[in-house]
Amino acid sequence: MKRVGRLAATSSPISVEAVDRDDALAEAADRLDRTDRTDPDRTDRGHFLRRVGGASVLLGGLALPGAARAASRSQDSEILNYALSLEYLQAAFYTEAERLNSLQGRFKDQARVVGSHERAHVEALRALLGGAAMKRPRFDFHGVTEDQAQFRRTAVAFEDLAVAAYKEEAPRIQNPENLAAAIRVHSVEARHAAWIRHLAGALPAPDAFDEPKPRDQVERLVASTGFVVGRPKTQSSDKPRYTG
């Protein structure tokens, strides 16, 4: 998949100003900055969102001509693999934080619960795609899973980005069964975003309406983090299994 393949490591930083044309991420960063100024423990969350962007899709056989059915399956497969790439990223992030036992209190509970959800999303998408499922990428989170403050900032960005990505792609899904499954996952991702925002001291739902995020913007933002790599930083057989 050409688009999925672009979720690769890069050394070129991407600014939010270059891709956040509707200013949604910049506004979120500003809100977090205002909170940070009154709480030293939350320093630099707004800066992090500006830097990385904020961060499934699961239609049965319709009575379509053969060529149309093939095109529909191909488009759905592309979308599902894109969603799978994001679920791989989130599952690895939460799993590594839990495995390292680096979090405390409510953040530890959040990572445990959300990690189990993201791993379930990965398995569901892989089962749905079958042999068309993309291989699991490898990750290096550069220490953000080892520090609670950095984990918090990254989790807010990841969850906001995932919700916006699902919102953009879901209307393009052709098969009704795939669409139904995607919506089930999207609503859970939105709950994740609200939960981590609450823990981070930001409004869980600051606006009456959310905007989608185009795929090319999501891919560039993910690539700019440098989290997707050719070789993982660590390997472990500990449980929960590290999905990177």
Side-chain angles (χ1 to χ4, degrees):
M1 307 299 296
K2 292 183 179 180
R3 285 187 176 273
V4 172
R6 289 209 300 267
L7 285 180
T10 177
S11 58
S12 302
I14 300 296
S15 66
V16 170
E17 288 78 11
V19 295
D20 188 26
R21 297 177 181 176
D22 61 5
D23 292 329
L25 297 177
E27 290 174 6
D30 288 340
R31 283 192 291 271
L32 288 175
D33 274 347
R34 289 194 292 271
T35 304
D36 290 341
R37 286 194 288 271
T38 62
D39 186 349
D41 185 54
R42 299 182 181 132
T43 303
D44 291 333
R45 284 179 303 178
H47 172 71
F48 179 87
L49 282 176
R50 289 194 182 90
R51 211 161 45 82
V52 303
S56 234
V57 221
L58 291 183
L59 293 165
L62 293 178
L64 298 174
R69 283 200 304 272
S72 172
R73 286 194 298 270
S74 177
Q75 178 165 299
D76 278 13
S77 179
E78 179 185 12
I79 295 170
L80 294 174
N81 267 303
Y82 168 57
L84 179 58
S85 71
L86 297 176
E87 296 294 347
Y88 277 141
L89 176 67
Q90 294 183 96
F93 170 72
Y94 286 109
T95 300
E96 183 171 273
E98 186 179 359
R99 179 176 59 79
L100 293 173
N101 197 31
S102 56
L103 307 175
Q104 302 295 323
R106 294 180 298 171
F107 289 100
K108 184 174 184 177
D109 293 339
Q110 188 265 356
R112 176 180 55 79
V113 174
V114 175
S116 69
H117 292 174
E118 305 297 6
R119 291 189 292 271
H121 293 170
V122 166
E123 294 308 314
L125 284 170
R126 286 175 60 88
L128 188 64
L129 283 159
M134 65 174 285
K135 293 182 178 179
R136 193 187 311 276
R138 294 173 175 177
F139 304 99
D140 181 348
F141 292 107
H142 306 293
V144 301
T145 55
E146 301 171 19
D147 177 82
Q148 184 157 293
Q150 293 187 60
F151 167 86
R152 179 183 63 213
R153 293 193 293 267
T154 308
V156 170
F158 274 179
E159 296 299 347
D160 282 356
L161 197 63
V163 172
Y166 273 91
K167 188 181 297 293
E168 174 75 15
E169 296 296 325
R172 298 180 56 237
I173 298 175
Q174 298 298 304
N175 184 298
E177 293 179 0
N178 292 345
L179 178 59
I183 291 172
R184 292 176 65 193
V185 174
H186 178 259
S187 61
V188 174
E189 294 291 349
R191 292 172 188 265
H192 293 170
W195 188 3
I196 191 61
R197 281 180 148 271
H198 172 71
L199 294 182
L203 286 175
D207 302 306
F209 303 97
D210 283 337
E211 296 299 321
K213 184 65 60 179
R215 192 186 304 188
D216 61 340
Q217 295 184 20
V218 173
E219 289 174 337
R220 281 186 288 175
L221 287 166
V222 172
S224 73
T225 66
F227 291 159
V228 185
V229 297
R231 178 175 298 177
K233 180 180 179 181
T234 57
Q235 294 280 3
S236 176
S237 59
D238 295 347
K239 294 183 179 181
R241 184 171 57 83
Y242 176 41
T243 56

